[in-house]
Amino acid sequence: MPQYLHIVSFDVPFPANYGGVIDVYYKLVWLKKAGVKVYLHCFNYGRSPSAELGLLCEKVFYYERKTGIFSNLGFLPYNVKSRLSDELTRNLLADKHPILFEVLHTCYLLSDTRLKDRKKVYRHSNIEHDYYNELSVSERNFFKKIYLKLEALRLRHFEPVLRFADLILAVNQKDTAYFKLKYPSAESLYLPSFHPNSAVEIRQGKGDFILFHGNLGVSENYEAAQWLISEVFSKLEISCVIAGLNPPAFLKRLVNRHANVRLIANPDEDEMKALVRDAHIHMLYTAQPTGLKLKLLNVLFNGRFVICNGAMVAGTGVSDNESLFIRETAEQYISTANSLIAKEFSEQLLGARCLQVADFDNDANCRKLTEAVFSQVTPVPAES
C-alpha cells in the first residue's frame, strides 16, 4: 500500500531559488522518487501556482497568506498568524495521513486537538527567535528592526507548541541537541537540508576570481558582503565578485569604490552555477550560527577552495581541511586567500571533498526521513 504524507509549506517552493524553499522542493523530488504520495499545502504571497509541483505531488493546495497590519496585532507571531487558514484545517482533517509542518511559521495546528491522533512532524530550519534577533541586529531600517525584535519575542513565546509534535527534524546537530533537551516528548532527529546536488562536481585546476554569493536582500547576507568588501576584498589584488538577489543600493555604491570588486545582481540559475564552478575561492561569512546555510552546501558540492568562519559551519560536522579553511578575522581571510591564489584544486582534494559531504547525501537522507515519518504509522488508503 502506498505511503501518503501532507506537507504544509510556508511558501510556494518553486522556483527553488532561496534557502528555505530549496529544502522543501528537493524534499518533494526525493519523496517522489521514493514512491511517497504527497499532498502539498502552500501559502501563496507573490509566487504563482506551479505546474512543476503538480508533477511531484498527488495534489497541491494553495492558500493566500493574510498579510497586513491586522496579522501583526496580538501575541501570535506575524509569520504564524498570517498563515491561519480554515481551508487548510479542513483539508488536513479529510484523512488520517501524517503531517509535516515546514518551519515554525506553519505550526499553529500542531496543538489542535482534532489532530491529536495524527503523526505530526516539525521540520526545523532555524531556532526562529534567535534567527530574528540576529536579523534585527544587522537590519538598517529602524521600523524593520523594531518588527524583527517584536517578532523574535513572539516566536520565543510560540515555540513551545513543538511539545505537540511527535517528531522534530533538525537541519544541524547543534539544534538537534537543543530540541532533545527542551522538548523530550518528541523524537528529535538530525536531518540535513535537501538540495539540488547529487554528486560532487568540482572543476580541477584554477579559477581567477573570489566569489561571495547569497540573497543580498536579507540583512544577514548584505552585512556579510559589506564586511568582506571593506575588510577583505579591498585588501586583495585578485578579482572579487559579489552575486545574488536584490542587492541594496548602499552595497552597489560600496562595490563601485573598489576596482577589483564587481557586483552581479539577480543572476539566473545557469549564470549562478557557472560563477560557483568557475570561482577559485569561495568566501562565506555569517554572524548567525543558525540552521544550515544552503550556500555552504552549494560550494561544498560545486566549488573549489572555501574560506568561511566558524558560525557558517556550526553544527554541521564540516571541519577544516586542505580545501576548506575556517578563519575568523579579516587578516586570516586575507592571508589564506593569498596562499591559495596559485594553488590548483587537485584530484586528491576532490576525493577528500567527496568524503566531507557524505552526511548531505539526498538519497540516504530521504530513506532516513521516510523511516522516521512512517514508523509506527498504519498505512491508510487515500480515499479514507
Side-chain angles (χ1 to χ4, degrees), residues 110-127:
L110 263 181
S111 60
D112 194 304
T113 56
R114 291 170 292 180
L115 296 175
K116 64 182 177 64
D117 295 324
R118 302 283 286 280
K119 184 154 189 179
K120 299 182 290 293
V121 182
Y122 165 57
R123 176 40 156 178
H124 148 270
S125 177
N126 293 291
I127 306 296

Side-chain angles (χ1 to χ4, degrees), residues 141-343:
N141 181 287
F142 174 77
F143 295 104
K144 286 184 180 179
K145 183 182 286 286
I146 296 301
Y147 158 73
L148 290 166
K149 286 183 177 295
L150 176 61
E151 190 73 349
L153 287 172
R154 293 189 293 204
L155 286 163
R156 183 186 292 273
H157 183 263
F158 178 72
E159 190 195 73
V161 75
L162 297 181
R163 69 187 186 275
F164 294 98
D166 301 292
L167 174 65
I168 295 173
L169 303 173
V171 298
N172 69 38
Q173 297 163 346
K174 176 174 65 71
D175 292 347
T176 305
Y178 167 87
F179 289 122
K180 283 181 177 180
L181 182 64
K182 194 157 188 183
Y183 305 106
S185 61
E187 178 189 3
S188 292
L189 181 69
Y190 169 47
L191 187 78
S193 299
F194 288 83
H195 54 87
N197 307 288
S198 56
V200 172
E201 296 182 351
I202 300 174
R203 291 176 178 168
Q204 295 181 42
K206 293 169 57 180
D208 59 3
F209 65 94
I210 295 173
L211 177 67
F212 170 83
H213 76 284
N215 182 351
L216 300 173
V218 176
S219 59
E220 174 188 5
N221 290 324
Y222 66 61
E223 288 288 324
Q226 180 186 30
W227 182 81
L228 284 170
I229 295 167
S230 300
E231 303 299 326
V232 180
F233 291 173
S234 60
K235 312 292 197 302
L236 294 168
E237 295 184 5
I238 189 172
S239 176
C240 301
V241 175
I242 305 284
L245 299 174
N246 307 317
F250 85 86
L251 196 61
K252 295 177 182 179
R253 292 192 296 269
L254 182 60
V255 166
N256 288 336
R257 294 178 199 156
H258 302 285
N260 70 319
V261 183
R262 64 188 174 105
L263 174 68
I264 300 177
N266 303 307
D268 63 28
E269 185 177 356
D270 288 340
E271 186 177 12
M272 192 69 251
K273 283 182 179 178
L275 286 168
V276 170
R277 289 187 175 142
D278 289 344
H280 187 60
I281 300 170
H282 293 270
M283 283 196 181
L284 303 176
Y285 180 85
T286 184
Q288 301 190 33
T290 57
L292 174 60
K293 314 298 184 185
L294 271 299
K295 55 181 170 282
L296 172 65
L297 292 187
N298 194 19
V299 300
L300 286 177
F301 277 87
N302 301 295
R304 294 184 178 104
F305 297 101
V306 181
I307 305 173
C308 66
N309 64 333
M312 178 61 64
V313 297
T316 65
V318 172
S319 57
D320 198 289
N321 64 19
E322 289 185 85
S323 70
L324 183 143
F325 303 85
I326 300 173
R327 303 291 185 261
E328 300 301 333
T329 68
E331 291 75 17
Q332 290 170 343
Y333 270 70
I334 292 165
S335 63
T336 304
N338 284 327
S339 72
L340 292 172
I341 287 172
K343 190 171 184 179

